[in-house]
Amino acid sequence: MRIGPVTLANRLFAAPMAGVTDRPFRQLCKRLGAGYAVSEMVTSRKDLWASLKTSRRADHEGEAAPISVQIAGTDAAMMAEAAAYNVARGAQIIDINMGCPAKKVCNQWAGSALMRDETLALAIVEAVVAACEPHGVPVTLKMRTGWCATEKNAVRIARAAEGAGIAMVAVHGRTREQGYQGHAEYETVAAVKRALSIPVVANGDIDSPAKAKAVFDATGADAIMIGRAAQGRPWIFGEIAHFLATGKLAPPPRVADVKQWLLEHLDDHYGLYGEYAGVRTARKHIGWTLRGLPGGEDFRAEMNIFESCEQQAREVGAWFDRLADVMPFMPAPTAPHAEARAAALH
Ligand SMILES: Cc1cc2nc3c(=O)[nH]c(=O)nc-3n(C[C@H](O)[C@H](O)[C@H](O)COP(=O)(O)O)c2cc1C
């Protein structure tokens, strides 16, 4: 699996999720089986690049290659500048966000809203490709199936983007109008795959090894991308890899291993965010890991009073030790997607 000149470890990708897929979480996903992880989006607004939030998002210290940065905006020249800025800071791949109902950038909706304006979408693609080409950096595109049910223009935009030099397209099988409602459909993803010769990635509602295989089969996609189902379960990538290779489900991970992964993740997380923000932003990752575990809900409520990283990590470790005494292996996930979907309503 390649994106332009970049070779990837496998065909299982972690989807970009603002506020979730920061460097520590991307690294964890890569360690546990993801072949590729895209960063949270970085705004094309230059005045925000020096802000703490944006500079943390652009922090790739020690990250396993390839480093891929997603940019969002509505102005072609600003997007080109944002791409060049991130390439200068180590990005090896630039991803254009046309997949997420991104917040207002420059008083206009960016992200998937661009799918409504194909001329602007293509102008952005051309400008970003022109900015990245001299550096040998491939540009990818993340999109939805279209603006609304009657305007499913993914194939047309993807074709035009391929013509303009895009190296890979990822398609979330919902329209912009759907938000996260209903179910992802894969017919449009399959149609995009048939229409292009560059790699196409299927995304949306993949939450188990069986679903991953079904989506590969239904779309013929070159890779799949997983977002919400990896929240609190980053080992899902390894489970899918095992299933695709053997046709059998991997045994669930040991509670002791999950504790170890979570503590290492927290350590890395605190390192990036510091004490005050670190302890607070870690709560969602801990909460997702506790989902479905006996007593997890109670601990999640208790945990909010811990104010120091040291105390949070110690209490989390002790909680998992007590769990491991009575339950050595993680339970099979129960309807993880329904829960993950609720968690996505951010
Ligand atoms: C919390 C959250 C943040 C997201 N942020 C982004 C983003 O920054 N850029 C983007 O292209 N998509 C973003 N998405 C969309 C995901 O990348 C993905 O397309 C979507 O969640 C569907 O995949 P899933 O069903 O596997 O979660 C976000 C989704 C969630 C739940």
Side-chain angles (χ1 to χ4, degrees):
M1 175 76 206
R2 292 165 69 95
I3 303 176
V6 182
T7 302
L8 305 178
N10 63 37
R11 298 156 179 262
L12 309 176
F13 297 179
M17 290 184 282
V20 181
T21 50
D22 52 15
R23 174 173 47 77
F25 189 71
R26 295 197 297 276
Q27 262 168 301
L28 182 69
C29 290
K30 285 178 180 175
R31 254 185 64 205
L32 297 178
Y36 180 59
V38 187
S39 75
E40 317 161 87
M41 70 185 143
V42 170
T43 171
S44 64
R45 274 182 55 182
K46 214 174 181 172
D47 55 318
L48 296 178
W49 289 347
S51 75
L52 189 56
K53 186 171 163 186
T54 303
S55 56
R56 273 198 195 118
R57 285 188 176 187
D59 181 338
H60 310 294
E61 185 71 37
E63 182 169 358
I67 289 159
S68 162
V69 175
Q70 186 182 68
I71 56 174
T74 54
D75 179 90
M78 282 168 73
M79 287 286 273
E81 238 186 306
Y85 174 80
N86 283 289
V87 168
R89 294 183 57 129
Q92 295 160 300
I93 297 170
I94 292 289
D95 185 51
I96 300 175
N97 180 353
M98 280 186 208
C100 179
K103 288 206 185 96
K104 276 187 170 187
V105 180
C106 306
N107 294 324
Q108 279 174 293
W109 286 94
S112 49
L114 289 175
M115 294 193 71
R116 197 166 46 168
D117 186 342
E118 293 181 24
T119 310
L120 176 60
L122 192 61
I124 288 176
V125 165
E126 284 168 349
V128 173
V129 168
C132 293
E133 220 160 34
H135 306 280
V137 169
V139 180
T140 60
L141 184 62
K142 177 152 178 292
M143 55 161 68
R144 288 191 172 221
T145 52
W147 174 255
C148 61
T150 52
E151 268 306 316
K152 285 198 181 175
N153 55 355
V155 170
R156 206 161 54 233
I157 293 184
R159 262 209 192 107
E162 178 178 38
I166 285 286
M168 182 184 81
V169 171
V171 187
H172 174 192
R174 285 187 176 84
T175 61
R176 160 72 170 76
E177 191 183 57
Q178 264 182 294
Y180 289 93
Q181 301 300 310
H183 298 285
E185 54 90 359
Y186 307 107
E187 293 82 21
T188 308
V189 184
V192 172
K193 170 62 193 162
R194 284 194 301 273
L196 303 191
S197 52
I198 53 172
V200 172
V201 184
N203 170 236
D205 295 354
I206 300 169
D207 58 2
S208 67
K211 182 80 183 257
K213 179 162 184 344
V215 172
F216 267 123
D217 291 347
T219 59
D222 301 277
I224 55 167
M225 183 178 260
I226 295 166
R228 292 165 294 171
Q231 294 173 348
R233 283 181 60 79
W235 56 90
I236 190 172
F237 298 102
E239 290 180 335
I240 293 174
H242 181 91
F243 185 72
L244 294 176
T246 65
K248 294 191 174 70
L249 290 175
R254 289 173 350 118
V255 169
D257 290 334
V258 169
K259 170 196 147 187
Q260 191 59 29
W261 296 330
L262 181 56
L263 290 184
E264 284 166 11
H265 178 201
L266 290 180
D267 192 46
D268 206 5
H269 187 93
Y270 301 148
L272 181 63
Y273 292 96
E275 182 88 24
Y276 184 85
V279 77
R280 285 163 180 76
T281 50
R283 286 176 190 151
K284 61 177 178 274
H285 290 285
I286 301 167
W288 288 327
T289 315
L290 295 171
R291 245 178 351 211
L293 296 178
E297 268 311 304
D298 294 341
F299 181 64
R300 197 221 286 252
E302 267 169 46
M303 188 181 69
N304 291 337
I305 59 166
F306 307 146
E307 291 281 343
S308 78
C309 298
E310 192 274 326
Q311 186 187 19
Q312 189 181 56
R314 181 163 32 84
E315 295 290 344
V316 165
W319 191 86
F320 274 92
D321 283 341
R322 289 194 295 278
L323 182 67
D325 284 343
V326 291
M327 201 181 85
F329 290 94
M330 293 292 281
T334 48
H337 214 265
E339 294 172 55
R341 217 178 261 162
L345 302 173
H346 55 297

PDB file of all heavy atoms in Angstrom, residues 187-216:
ATOM      1  N   GLU A 187     -21.874   1.665  -1.233  1.00  0.00           N
ATOM      2  CA  GLU A 187     -22.006   1.618  -2.704  1.00  0.00           C
ATOM      3  C   GLU A 187     -21.255   2.798  -3.336  1.00  0.00           C
ATOM      4  O   GLU A 187     -20.579   2.639  -4.354  1.00  0.00           O
ATOM      5  CB  GLU A 187     -23.478   1.695  -3.150  1.00  0.00           C
ATOM      6  CG  GLU A 187     -24.331   0.497  -2.786  1.00  0.00           C
ATOM      7  CD  GLU A 187     -24.828   0.585  -1.347  1.00  0.00           C
ATOM      8  OE1 GLU A 187     -24.855   1.693  -0.787  1.00  0.00           O
ATOM      9  OE2 GLU A 187     -25.168  -0.465  -0.778  1.00  0.00           O
ATOM     10  N   THR A 188     -21.404   3.980  -2.715  1.00  0.00           N
ATOM     11  CA  THR A 188     -20.733   5.153  -3.290  1.00  0.00           C
ATOM     12  C   THR A 188     -19.218   5.010  -3.169  1.00  0.00           C
ATOM     13  O   THR A 188     -18.473   5.414  -4.067  1.00  0.00           O
ATOM     14  CB  THR A 188     -21.232   6.447  -2.600  1.00  0.00           C
ATOM     15  OG1 THR A 188     -22.654   6.455  -2.636  1.00  0.00           O
ATOM     16  CG2 THR A 188     -20.699   7.686  -3.279  1.00  0.00           C
ATOM     17  N   VAL A 189     -18.764   4.422  -2.066  1.00  0.00           N
ATOM     18  CA  VAL A 189     -17.320   4.207  -1.893  1.00  0.00           C
ATOM     19  C   VAL A 189     -16.828   3.263  -2.999  1.00  0.00           C
ATOM     20  O   VAL A 189     -15.787   3.502  -3.631  1.00  0.00           O
ATOM     21  CB  VAL A 189     -17.002   3.600  -0.503  1.00  0.00           C
ATOM     22  CG1 VAL A 189     -15.499   3.480  -0.300  1.00  0.00           C
ATOM     23  CG2 VAL A 189     -17.641   4.436   0.610  1.00  0.00           C
ATOM     24  N   ALA A 190     -17.634   2.215  -3.260  1.00  0.00           N
ATOM     25  CA  ALA A 190     -17.267   1.258  -4.316  1.00  0.00           C
ATOM     26  C   ALA A 190     -17.241   1.953  -5.678  1.00  0.00           C
ATOM     27  O   ALA A 190     -16.349   1.686  -6.505  1.00  0.00           O
ATOM     28  CB  ALA A 190     -18.267   0.095  -4.335  1.00  0.00           C
ATOM     29  N   ALA A 191     -18.198   2.862  -5.898  1.00  0.00           N
ATOM     30  CA  ALA A 191     -18.247   3.587  -7.187  1.00  0.00           C
ATOM     31  C   ALA A 191     -17.015   4.476  -7.337  1.00  0.00           C
ATOM     32  O   ALA A 191     -16.440   4.572  -8.432  1.00  0.00           O
ATOM     33  CB  ALA A 191     -19.527   4.417  -7.265  1.00  0.00           C
ATOM     34  N   VAL A 192     -16.586   5.111  -6.248  1.00  0.00           N
ATOM     35  CA  VAL A 192     -15.365   5.942  -6.305  1.00  0.00           C
ATOM     36  C   VAL A 192     -14.172   5.041  -6.611  1.00  0.00           C
ATOM     37  O   VAL A 192     -13.327   5.369  -7.457  1.00  0.00           O
ATOM     38  CB  VAL A 192     -15.150   6.719  -4.973  1.00  0.00           C
ATOM     39  CG1 VAL A 192     -13.792   7.412  -4.960  1.00  0.00           C
ATOM     40  CG2 VAL A 192     -16.274   7.737  -4.756  1.00  0.00           C
ATOM     41  N   LYS A 193     -14.131   3.894  -5.970  1.00  0.00           N
ATOM     42  CA  LYS A 193     -13.004   2.968  -6.208  1.00  0.00           C
ATOM     43  C   LYS A 193     -12.958   2.558  -7.691  1.00  0.00           C
ATOM     44  O   LYS A 193     -11.884   2.548  -8.307  1.00  0.00           O
ATOM     45  CB  LYS A 193     -13.147   1.735  -5.288  1.00  0.00           C
ATOM     46  CG  LYS A 193     -12.202   0.586  -5.591  1.00  0.00           C
ATOM     47  CD  LYS A 193     -10.735   0.951  -5.424  1.00  0.00           C
ATOM     48  CE  LYS A 193      -9.829  -0.115  -6.026  1.00  0.00           C
ATOM     49  NZ  LYS A 193      -8.467   0.382  -6.275  1.00  0.00           N
ATOM     50  N   ARG A 194     -14.123   2.247  -8.244  1.00  0.00           N
ATOM     51  CA  ARG A 194     -14.159   1.815  -9.647  1.00  0.00           C
ATOM     52  C   ARG A 194     -13.737   2.934 -10.593  1.00  0.00           C
ATOM     53  O   ARG A 194     -13.154   2.689 -11.646  1.00  0.00           O
ATOM     54  CB  ARG A 194     -15.576   1.347 -10.036  1.00  0.00           C
ATOM     55  CG  ARG A 194     -15.949  -0.021  -9.507  1.00  0.00           C
ATOM     56  CD  ARG A 194     -17.203  -0.560 -10.195  1.00  0.00           C
ATOM     57  NE  ARG A 194     -18.358   0.301 -10.023  1.00  0.00           N
ATOM     58  CZ  ARG A 194     -19.196   0.242  -8.972  1.00  0.00           C
ATOM     59  NH1 ARG A 194     -19.007  -0.656  -8.024  1.00  0.00           N
ATOM     60  NH2 ARG A 194     -20.220   1.075  -8.883  1.00  0.00           N
ATOM     61  N   ALA A 195     -14.013   4.179 -10.183  1.00  0.00           N
ATOM     62  CA  ALA A 195     -13.770   5.318 -11.090  1.00  0.00           C
ATOM     63  C   ALA A 195     -12.320   5.793 -11.089  1.00  0.00           C
ATOM     64  O   ALA A 195     -11.916   6.523 -11.984  1.00  0.00           O
ATOM     65  CB  ALA A 195     -14.697   6.480 -10.697  1.00  0.00           C
ATOM     66  N   LEU A 196     -11.545   5.409 -10.066  1.00  0.00           N
ATOM     67  CA  LEU A 196     -10.195   5.968  -9.930  1.00  0.00           C
ATOM     68  C   LEU A 196      -9.119   4.912 -10.107  1.00  0.00           C
ATOM     69  O   LEU A 196      -9.363   3.724  -9.912  1.00  0.00           O
ATOM     70  CB  LEU A 196     -10.013   6.581  -8.529  1.00  0.00           C
ATOM     71  CG  LEU A 196     -10.980   7.680  -8.060  1.00  0.00           C
ATOM     72  CD1 LEU A 196     -10.451   8.322  -6.789  1.00  0.00           C
ATOM     73  CD2 LEU A 196     -11.205   8.746  -9.112  1.00  0.00           C
ATOM     74  N   SER A 197      -7.909   5.378 -10.412  1.00  0.00           N
ATOM     75  CA  SER A 197      -6.803   4.410 -10.413  1.00  0.00           C
ATOM     76  C   SER A 197      -5.864   4.638  -9.230  1.00  0.00           C
ATOM     77  O   SER A 197      -4.993   3.808  -8.968  1.00  0.00           O
ATOM     78  CB  SER A 197      -6.057   4.453 -11.748  1.00  0.00           C
ATOM     79  OG  SER A 197      -5.696   5.775 -12.040  1.00  0.00           O
ATOM     80  N   ILE A 198      -6.033   5.736  -8.496  1.00  0.00           N
ATOM     81  CA  ILE A 198      -5.247   5.939  -7.264  1.00  0.00           C
ATOM     82  C   ILE A 198      -5.918   5.163  -6.122  1.00  0.00           C
ATOM     83  O   ILE A 198      -7.085   4.781  -6.250  1.00  0.00           O
ATOM     84  CB  ILE A 198      -5.163   7.450  -6.895  1.00  0.00           C
ATOM     85  CG1 ILE A 198      -6.574   8.064  -6.842  1.00  0.00           C
ATOM     86  CG2 ILE A 198      -4.246   8.196  -7.844  1.00  0.00           C
ATOM     87  CD1 ILE A 198      -6.615   9.494  -6.301  1.00  0.00           C
ATOM     88  N   PRO A 199      -5.204   4.921  -5.003  1.00  0.00           N
ATOM     89  CA  PRO A 199      -5.818   4.191  -3.894  1.00  0.00           C
ATOM     90  C   PRO A 199      -7.042   4.909  -3.317  1.00  0.00           C
ATOM     91  O   PRO A 199      -7.071   6.130  -3.225  1.00  0.00           O
ATOM     92  CB  PRO A 199      -4.702   4.123  -2.849  1.00  0.00           C
ATOM     93  CG  PRO A 199      -3.439   4.340  -3.600  1.00  0.00           C
ATOM     94  CD  PRO A 199      -3.783   5.200  -4.767  1.00  0.00           C
ATOM     95  N   VAL A 200      -8.042   4.100  -2.950  1.00  0.00           N
ATOM     96  CA  VAL A 200      -9.270   4.612  -2.337  1.00  0.00           C
ATOM     97  C   VAL A 200      -9.462   3.921  -0.985  1.00  0.00           C
ATOM     98  O   VAL A 200      -9.252   2.713  -0.856  1.00  0.00           O
ATOM     99  CB  VAL A 200     -10.486   4.351  -3.264  1.00  0.00           C
ATOM    100  CG1 VAL A 200     -11.797   4.692  -2.563  1.00  0.00           C
ATOM    101  CG2 VAL A 200     -10.352   5.165  -4.555  1.00  0.00           C
ATOM    102  N   VAL A 201      -9.850   4.713   0.006  1.00  0.00           N
ATOM    103  CA  VAL A 201      -9.988   4.218   1.384  1.00  0.00           C
ATOM    104  C   VAL A 201     -11.454   4.297   1.788  1.00  0.00           C
ATOM    105  O   VAL A 201     -12.088   5.336   1.597  1.00  0.00           O
ATOM    106  CB  VAL A 201      -9.140   5.087   2.345  1.00  0.00           C
ATOM    107  CG1 VAL A 201      -9.190   4.520   3.755  1.00  0.00           C
ATOM    108  CG2 VAL A 201      -7.720   5.210   1.841  1.00  0.00           C
ATOM    109  N   ALA A 202     -11.973   3.196   2.361  1.00  0.00           N
ATOM    110  CA  ALA A 202     -13.367   3.174   2.816  1.00  0.00           C
ATOM    111  C   ALA A 202     -13.426   3.518   4.294  1.00  0.00           C
ATOM    112  O   ALA A 202     -12.627   3.014   5.096  1.00  0.00           O
ATOM    113  CB  ALA A 202     -13.953   1.784   2.584  1.00  0.00           C
ATOM    114  N   ASN A 203     -14.396   4.342   4.655  1.00  0.00           N
ATOM    115  CA  ASN A 203     -14.524   4.792   6.046  1.00  0.00           C
ATOM    116  C   ASN A 203     -16.009   4.888   6.420  1.00  0.00           C
ATOM    117  O   ASN A 203     -16.844   5.208   5.596  1.00  0.00           O
ATOM    118  CB  ASN A 203     -13.840   6.163   6.190  1.00  0.00           C
ATOM    119  CG  ASN A 203     -14.120   6.849   7.516  1.00  0.00           C
ATOM    120  OD1 ASN A 203     -14.598   7.973   7.539  1.00  0.00           O
ATOM    121  ND2 ASN A 203     -13.821   6.191   8.607  1.00  0.00           N
ATOM    122  N   GLY A 204     -16.264   4.612   7.702  1.00  0.00           N
ATOM    123  CA  GLY A 204     -17.604   4.800   8.247  1.00  0.00           C
ATOM    124  C   GLY A 204     -18.165   3.538   8.867  1.00  0.00           C
ATOM    125  O   GLY A 204     -18.348   2.531   8.188  1.00  0.00           O
ATOM    126  N   ASP A 205     -18.376   3.594  10.189  1.00  0.00           N
ATOM    127  CA  ASP A 205     -19.069   2.536  10.944  1.00  0.00           C
ATOM    128  C   ASP A 205     -18.324   1.192  10.969  1.00  0.00           C
ATOM    129  O   ASP A 205     -18.959   0.155  11.198  1.00  0.00           O
ATOM    130  CB  ASP A 205     -20.494   2.295  10.402  1.00  0.00           C
ATOM    131  CG  ASP A 205     -21.396   3.495  10.586  1.00  0.00           C
ATOM    132  OD1 ASP A 205     -20.975   4.474  11.229  1.00  0.00           O
ATOM    133  OD2 ASP A 205     -22.535   3.454  10.086  1.00  0.00           O
ATOM    134  N   ILE A 206     -17.039   1.190  10.719  1.00  0.00           N
ATOM    135  CA  ILE A 206     -16.297  -0.089  10.796  1.00  0.00           C
ATOM    136  C   ILE A 206     -15.908  -0.279  12.261  1.00  0.00           C
ATOM    137  O   ILE A 206     -15.171   0.524  12.822  1.00  0.00           O
ATOM    138  CB  ILE A 206     -15.062  -0.084   9.876  1.00  0.00           C
ATOM    139  CG1 ILE A 206     -15.506   0.138   8.432  1.00  0.00           C
ATOM    140  CG2 ILE A 206     -14.269  -1.394  10.028  1.00  0.00           C
ATOM    141  CD1 ILE A 206     -14.362   0.430   7.469  1.00  0.00           C
ATOM    142  N   ASP A 207     -16.466  -1.325  12.886  1.00  0.00           N
ATOM    143  CA  ASP A 207     -16.282  -1.461  14.332  1.00  0.00           C
ATOM    144  C   ASP A 207     -15.923  -2.874  14.779  1.00  0.00           C
ATOM    145  O   ASP A 207     -15.986  -3.191  15.962  1.00  0.00           O
ATOM    146  CB  ASP A 207     -17.542  -0.974  15.071  1.00  0.00           C
ATOM    147  CG  ASP A 207     -18.779  -1.750  14.638  1.00  0.00           C
ATOM    148  OD1 ASP A 207     -18.652  -2.676  13.818  1.00  0.00           O
ATOM    149  OD2 ASP A 207     -19.871  -1.420  15.134  1.00  0.00           O
ATOM    150  N   SER A 208     -15.593  -3.740  13.834  1.00  0.00           N
ATOM    151  CA  SER A 208     -15.227  -5.112  14.209  1.00  0.00           C
ATOM    152  C   SER A 208     -14.427  -5.727  13.066  1.00  0.00           C
ATOM    153  O   SER A 208     -14.492  -5.243  11.926  1.00  0.00           O
ATOM    154  CB  SER A 208     -16.483  -5.955  14.437  1.00  0.00           C
ATOM    155  OG  SER A 208     -17.157  -6.128  13.207  1.00  0.00           O
ATOM    156  N   PRO A 209     -13.712  -6.819  13.343  1.00  0.00           N
ATOM    157  CA  PRO A 209     -12.979  -7.494  12.271  1.00  0.00           C
ATOM    158  C   PRO A 209     -13.900  -7.963  11.150  1.00  0.00           C
ATOM    159  O   PRO A 209     -13.573  -7.807   9.965  1.00  0.00           O
ATOM    160  CB  PRO A 209     -12.323  -8.680  12.994  1.00  0.00           C
ATOM    161  CG  PRO A 209     -12.134  -8.185  14.403  1.00  0.00           C
ATOM    162  CD  PRO A 209     -13.346  -7.345  14.686  1.00  0.00           C
ATOM    163  N   ALA A 210     -15.096  -8.477  11.522  1.00  0.00           N
ATOM    164  CA  ALA A 210     -16.008  -8.980  10.475  1.00  0.00           C
ATOM    165  C   ALA A 210     -16.490  -7.826   9.603  1.00  0.00           C
ATOM    166  O   ALA A 210     -16.587  -7.958   8.371  1.00  0.00           O
ATOM    167  CB  ALA A 210     -17.190  -9.700  11.127  1.00  0.00           C
ATOM    168  N   LYS A 211     -16.788  -6.706  10.232  1.00  0.00           N
ATOM    169  CA  LYS A 211     -17.268  -5.543   9.461  1.00  0.00           C
ATOM    170  C   LYS A 211     -16.145  -5.038   8.550  1.00  0.00           C
ATOM    171  O   LYS A 211     -16.391  -4.652   7.408  1.00  0.00           O
ATOM    172  CB  LYS A 211     -17.719  -4.453  10.442  1.00  0.00           C
ATOM    173  CG  LYS A 211     -18.289  -3.206   9.804  1.00  0.00           C
ATOM    174  CD  LYS A 211     -19.741  -3.391   9.380  1.00  0.00           C
ATOM    175  CE  LYS A 211     -20.319  -2.183   8.684  1.00  0.00           C
ATOM    176  NZ  LYS A 211     -21.205  -1.369   9.482  1.00  0.00           N
ATOM    177  N   ALA A 212     -14.927  -5.072   9.053  1.00  0.00           N
ATOM    178  CA  ALA A 212     -13.790  -4.616   8.248  1.00  0.00           C
ATOM    179  C   ALA A 212     -13.684  -5.461   6.982  1.00  0.00           C
ATOM    180  O   ALA A 212     -13.540  -4.935   5.865  1.00  0.00           O
ATOM    181  CB  ALA A 212     -12.504  -4.722   9.070  1.00  0.00           C
ATOM    182  N   LYS A 213     -13.796  -6.776   7.146  1.00  0.00           N
ATOM    183  CA  LYS A 213     -13.695  -7.659   5.974  1.00  0.00           C
ATOM    184  C   LYS A 213     -14.850  -7.409   5.013  1.00  0.00           C
ATOM    185  O   LYS A 213     -14.655  -7.335   3.784  1.00  0.00           O
ATOM    186  CB  LYS A 213     -13.661  -9.128   6.416  1.00  0.00           C
ATOM    187  CG  LYS A 213     -13.579 -10.064   5.237  1.00  0.00           C
ATOM    188  CD  LYS A 213     -13.120 -11.435   5.586  1.00  0.00           C
ATOM    189  CE  LYS A 213     -12.942 -12.335   4.354  1.00  0.00           C
ATOM    190  NZ  LYS A 213     -13.542 -11.929   3.121  1.00  0.00           N
ATOM    191  N   ALA A 214     -16.059  -7.232   5.580  1.00  0.00           N
ATOM    192  CA  ALA A 214     -17.235  -7.003   4.738  1.00  0.00           C
ATOM    193  C   ALA A 214     -17.061  -5.712   3.927  1.00  0.00           C
ATOM    194  O   ALA A 214     -17.441  -5.661   2.751  1.00  0.00           O
ATOM    195  CB  ALA A 214     -18.483  -6.927   5.611  1.00  0.00           C
ATOM    196  N   VAL A 215     -16.490  -4.685   4.544  1.00  0.00           N
ATOM    197  CA  VAL A 215     -16.329  -3.405   3.835  1.00  0.00           C
ATOM    198  C   VAL A 215     -15.260  -3.531   2.746  1.00  0.00           C
ATOM    199  O   VAL A 215     -15.425  -3.021   1.636  1.00  0.00           O
ATOM    200  CB  VAL A 215     -16.030  -2.256   4.827  1.00  0.00           C
ATOM    201  CG1 VAL A 215     -15.664  -0.976   4.094  1.00  0.00           C
ATOM    202  CG2 VAL A 215     -17.231  -2.010   5.739  1.00  0.00           C
ATOM    203  N   PHE A 216     -14.179  -4.235   3.045  1.00  0.00           N
ATOM    204  CA  PHE A 216     -13.176  -4.491   1.994  1.00  0.00           C
ATOM    205  C   PHE A 216     -13.851  -5.203   0.820  1.00  0.00           C
ATOM    206  O   PHE A 216     -13.673  -4.825  -0.342  1.00  0.00           O
ATOM    207  CB  PHE A 216     -12.040  -5.379   2.530  1.00  0.00           C
ATOM    208  CG  PHE A 216     -10.849  -4.620   3.073  1.00  0.00           C
ATOM    209  CD1 PHE A 216     -10.419  -4.805   4.374  1.00  0.00           C
ATOM    210  CD2 PHE A 216     -10.141  -3.736   2.274  1.00  0.00           C
ATOM    211  CE1 PHE A 216      -9.315  -4.114   4.877  1.00  0.00           C
ATOM    212  CE2 PHE A 216      -9.032  -3.046   2.757  1.00  0.00           C
ATOM    213  CZ  PHE A 216      -8.624  -3.238   4.058  1.00  0.00           C
TER     214      PHE A 216
END
